[in-house]
Amino acid sequence: MCGRYAITLPPDTYREFYGYPEQPNFPPRFNVAPTQPVPIVMEDRGARHFMLVRWGFLPSWVKDPKDFPLVINARGETLETKPTFKAALKRRRCIFLADGFYEWQRHGREKAPFLIRPRHRGPMPLAGLWETYMDPNGGEIDTAAIVTTDANGTLSAVHDRMPVILSPDDIGSWLDVSDERADVMRLVRPCPDDWLDLVPVSSRVNKVENDDPGVQEPLTEPEAKPVRESKRKAAKPRSSDEDGQGKLF
């Protein structure tokens, strides 16, 4: 899946790559976690725009967010059938600004984090869905989730799922919501193996407060750590393996 990722390139790099007119200035983030505000690109009437949303999708029909699981990933196989995602798939597709993400390889009671980045070290367009939720008091919050699919050959050694990573040629098709009948499910697929590099990194990335370049330093071999069992069963985000709360932008 995708439970942590990174946004470390200069803001102007993303702006030039995606072509939105806004000029946001945000610091590099090396350990982005669920529930934090995150930047996305969306399209409105043919124009692309930068937008800040909460990472954690809330459908508009939810009555009480406290009773709804934290949805940070949207399984590609369910986008057309689950009520949670059907409307957003047709009308509110987006791309998460990112240049890398993390995944954990598990062996029994141990796990080891890996950093996955594009070999060209440029922006990594992660397909997403967004939605504006309005609470009973009229307050609005923009939310989003990352779309996932089966892992490609590179990722399969670590995990069986991965984010949908779009090619530059497919960005326009994913963002264009002018035709609700457009076949965008063809884009929900694993990216080619040779697009990505995968390196083991320190278990410091497990803690959301560690948001610095050190969490991306490559290790010579994976660093496995015991997985502690909770004394009580905690609520688990849908379609997520790693999550947490941390500091904001």
Side-chain angles (χ1 to χ4, degrees), residues 61-90:
W61 44 261
V62 170
K63 293 183 178 180
D64 188 349
K66 295 179 181 178
D67 297 329
F68 193 78
L70 180 63
V71 180
I72 65 171
N73 292 160
R75 290 180 66 92
E77 298 87 339
T78 67
L79 299 185
E80 294 181 295
T81 57
K82 280 200 172 183
T84 301
F85 308 124
K86 287 176 67 175
L89 176 65
K90 293 180 179 180

